[in-house]
Amino acid sequence: MRLVKSVFQSFSWPSFLLGALFFAAALTPSLIPRGPEVQGVLGGLVLAIGYLTGRIIALIWRAADMPVLQGRLAQTLTIGAGVLVAALFVWTITSSLTWQNDLRGKMGMEPADGLHIATILAVALVTFALAFTLGALVAVLFRWVRKRLLRVMPERRANVLGVLLVAVLLLIVTRDGILDRVVAGLDASYEAAQNLFDNAPPPPTDPAKTGSAASLVDWAAMGKPGRDFITTGPDAAAIAAFTGQPALEPIRVYVGRANGDTPEERAELALAELQRQGAFDRKVLIVTSPTGTGWMDPGSHDPVEYMHGGDIATVGSQYSFLQSPLALIFETETGLEQATATLEVVHEYWKTLPPDNRPRLYAHGLSLGAWSSMYATNLFRLVGDPIDGAFWVGPPFPSGFWNYVQTTRAEGSPWVLPTIGDGSLVRYASKVADASQAEADWGGMRIVFLQYSSDPIVFYDPASLWRAPPWMNDPPAADASEHLRFVPIVTQFQLALDMALAFGAPPGHGHAYHAQDYIAPWVQVTAPEGWTEADTARLKAHCDNGVQVGCSNR
């Protein structure tokens, strides 16, 4: 009881008002529409961050022996500030429905039917209470450590060492204790969910298929994403029916994480299976890096197989069982190593073949797969005997190559859809651009980025803690809100939450890349023979099946 009393006696109303100011700012729109529950969580978090910021400022102020207002003047200023903050909060929360519905309308979503103020406030207060309690427990731990340090050292030294000890303890407990076990548990649970070994469906009966009795890749160990990739997609009959021409059966090779102990083993197995199936006799060979779970997006692979009449082979190697956001944080190196090993092994063998008697070679990836594929496509694969091109979709914001390319954009071109040089090497596609327009014709290599202007996985910026991201300095994109404003700290948390919501955005927005939007970029990258704009329109109509991914009837 004494502990609870001491905690609430130290409650700072000026700091709470700063937090409420952050809460009011968090009600403004960002990249992805938010429902009342999500808005409440965001509001509670930034309220807690604002409160913590106020306490830190006050601590620094007192440590510097600066004068502190007290008595009636301090009380009057606090009440006056409270009235102003309350007025601002009322305005933002009543305007938030208009802002959110404006954004929802631009994404083709139904408008929200009410403010749900009670829900927003209730969820925000619960979130703040949890964060405040956690912070109070950390403060109690600090005081306990500090009290014991004071027995053997001066006060100032005890304060500094106490903060360091508590910070190190929290880091060890979370990073090397709780988080490690959580990640290991998640990885194991996702592995089980992929139906490895025990629950695998019957393998393909066609000996030419990956995972068949004749295949070098064990069907059960491949995992559900790999088995789905092998057993779906257009077959030769479907392609022939669409093109009106004889077609080949597309080659699809997939190696699951459980098919090998190391990235190199899985890469060598992928190469051997490609050779077994005759992949290097096809016109096109695509080396794809899957997403975190190992998923190969049918919305990307189905259309390009139609374009080339099935005369194409695609290979992917799994590196994780985690969902992409978790794999992005905890298994980044694993993805980079696997993508590098696979592309390196395939490229090295491909280089030994006569240039006029080998497939055109392309790199590809979506989301985390785009990052790892870019990493694998290093300078040595861009010079000498280079690959023919690359198509990267939704590249995550830390991607080194993507960041380098973005910073070379032509002056005046928007950050979300930049122009790079004369367009002979790199072009961008989006919901409103298909990468067909450029100052110059394509050169020997073709690289295309597909990114939606509302994708926070791409446009999150860690520096938004203190400065506006570059794209905020441009006029708003077609699916962005005119009311989006930069607020230090708050914008950081808005964009971070947007990343969690991006996968549930309507197809064609956020991180939900639509099959139709892959088609024109694939045409630009792989240049299918005899392909026309009418063919592109027909394939888009064929893939317009009302879902986000895939355009196969199987």
Side-chain angles (χ1 to χ4, degrees):
M1 191 66 184
R2 182 184 303 173
L3 176 62
V4 174
K5 185 177 180 180
S6 66
V7 167
F8 281 97
Q9 280 181 339
S10 63
F11 189 86
S12 169
W13 285 106
S15 297
F16 183 80
L17 290 178
L18 180 60
L21 193 61
F22 279 22
F23 188 175
L27 292 165
T28 58
S30 50
L31 292 177
I32 305 295
R34 298 187 293 268
E37 294 82 5
V38 174
Q39 183 63 73
V41 171
L42 174 63
L45 286 174
V46 298
L47 177 59
I49 292 297
Y51 182 86
L52 176 63
T53 302
R55 295 304 300 263
I56 292 174
I57 292 173
L59 180 65
I60 295 173
W61 187 271
R62 288 195 296 270
D65 291 326
M66 300 296 286
V68 178
L69 292 176
Q70 295 179 347
R72 183 176 296 276
L73 178 59
Q75 185 179 22
T76 301
L77 289 176
T78 300
I79 293 173
V83 171
L84 293 176
V85 171
L88 176 63
F89 185 84
V90 169
W91 176 71
T92 55
I93 200 168
T94 53
S95 300
S96 62
L97 179 62
T98 301
W99 297 335
Q100 291 296 323
N101 280 341
D102 173 66
L103 187 56
R104 293 171 71 90
K106 292 185 175 186
M107 295 188 177
M109 301 172 67
E110 291 294 325
D113 57 1
L115 280 171
H116 302 288
I117 294 177
T119 301
I120 294 175
L121 294 179
V123 173
L125 289 176
V126 169
T127 304
F128 173 75
L130 291 173
F132 180 82
T133 301
L134 183 62
L137 292 175
V138 172
V140 169
L141 175 62
F142 166 73
R143 285 194 291 269
W144 183 85
V145 172
R146 177 178 177 274
K147 182 177 180 181
R148 278 145 185 80
L149 291 175
L150 283 172
R151 298 173 182 174
V152 295
M153 63 181 64
E155 180 178 359
R156 189 178 296 273
R157 193 177 301 168
N159 289 338
V160 174
L161 187 56
V163 169
L164 293 176
L165 288 175
V166 170
V168 170
L169 178 62
L170 292 175
L171 180 64
I172 292 174
V173 170
T174 55
R175 179 66 186 179
D176 298 326
I178 296 173
L179 280 182
D180 276 359
R181 294 180 182 178
V182 168
V183 171
L186 286 171
D187 215 359
S189 66
Y190 281 119
E191 180 176 359
Q194 290 191 3
N195 296 325
L196 291 175
F197 305 107
D198 296 336
N199 301 315
T205 56
D206 183 353
K209 293 287 187 182
T210 306
S212 67
S215 174
L216 304 174
V217 182
D218 181 71
W219 176 252
M222 191 185 299
K224 187 176 186 302
R227 294 194 292 264
D228 288 345
F229 177 63
I230 298 302
T231 57
T232 59
D235 57 15
I239 296 172
F242 174 79
T243 62
Q245 301 291 330
L248 297 177
E249 190 77 18
I251 293 175
R252 290 188 171 192
V253 171
Y254 189 94
V255 176
R257 180 172 171 177
N259 285 125
D261 294 330
T262 66
E264 292 74 22
E265 285 184 21
R266 293 188 285 270
E268 292 290 349
L269 179 59
L271 174 62
E273 183 66 13
L274 284 170
Q275 293 170 324
R276 185 190 77 84
Q277 295 191 37
F280 291 93
D281 296 325
R282 296 299 175 96
K283 287 185 178 179
V284 173
L285 173 58
I286 298 173
V287 180
T288 297
S289 184
T291 62
T293 59
W295 183 58
M296 301 277 279
D297 185 1
S300 175
H301 296 289
D302 290 1
V304 74
E305 290 175 341
Y306 280 102
M307 289 177 198
H308 294 279
D311 198 359
I312 181 173
T314 305
V315 60
S317 300
Q318 186 182 25
Y319 52 87
S320 171
F321 298 111
L322 293 178
Q323 296 287 345
S324 285
L326 296 174
L328 175 64
I329 299 171
F330 301 113
E331 292 195 323
T332 302
E333 290 300 320
T334 306
L336 302 182
E337 291 169 2
Q338 184 61 70
T340 300
T342 303
L343 186 55
E344 182 176 299
V345 164
V346 172
H347 185 236
E348 288 300 314
Y349 176 77
W350 177 82
K351 288 195 300 182
T352 67
L353 303 175
D356 59 350
N357 193 28
R358 67 187 182 189
R360 301 197 303 275
L361 181 59
Y362 300 96
H364 176 55
L366 163 66
S367 190
L368 189 57
W371 183 7
S372 56
S373 179
M374 276 184 274
Y375 181 86
T377 311
N378 57 36
L379 179 64
F380 299 104
R381 271 175 276 285
L382 298 178
V383 297
D385 197 358
I387 64 174
D388 291 277
F391 179 29
W392 292 310
V393 182
F397 66 91
S399 306
F401 183 73
W402 174 82
N403 275 286
Y404 170 76
V405 173
Q406 287 279 135
T407 56
T408 64
R409 65 184 174 130
E411 185 177 355
S413 64
W415 184 261
V416 297
L417 190 63
T419 298
I420 308 299
D422 61 6
S424 61
L425 175 61
V426 179
R427 297 181 190 176
Y428 280 76
S430 71
K431 190 71 178 173
V432 297
D434 61 7
S436 63
Q437 302 299 315
E439 180 182 332
D441 293 334
W442 282 109
M445 181 185 295
R446 304 180 177 202
I447 297 175
V448 171
F449 292 96
L450 171 61
Q451 56 193 35
Y452 291 152
S453 56
S454 55
D455 188 352
I457 303 294
V458 178
F459 296 114
Y460 172 82
D461 186 351
S464 62
L465 190 67
W466 63 86
R467 65 158 174 80
W471 51 269
M472 272 193 172
N473 298 320
D474 296 330
D479 60 351
S481 172
E482 292 84 358
H483 304 285
L484 196 154
R485 297 289 184 273
F486 170 71
V487 179
I489 301 177
V490 174
T491 296
Q492 170 90 183
F493 281 85
Q494 286 180 316
L495 296 179
L497 185 59
D498 281 345
M499 286 197 291
L501 302 176
F503 296 88
H509 304 278
H511 205 59
Y513 286 88
H514 196 282
Q516 290 182 302
D517 295 326
Y518 284 97
I519 295 172
W522 266 131
V523 171
Q524 293 301 315
V525 173
T526 64
E529 294 179 12
W531 193 263
T532 65
E533 291 185 9
D535 292 325
T536 296
R538 265 196 331 120
L539 187 53
K540 284 186 176 183
H542 183 69
C543 293
D544 187 14
N545 52 15
V547 296
Q548 177 185 335
V549 296
C551 49
S552 147
N553 293 324
R554 285 210 288 172

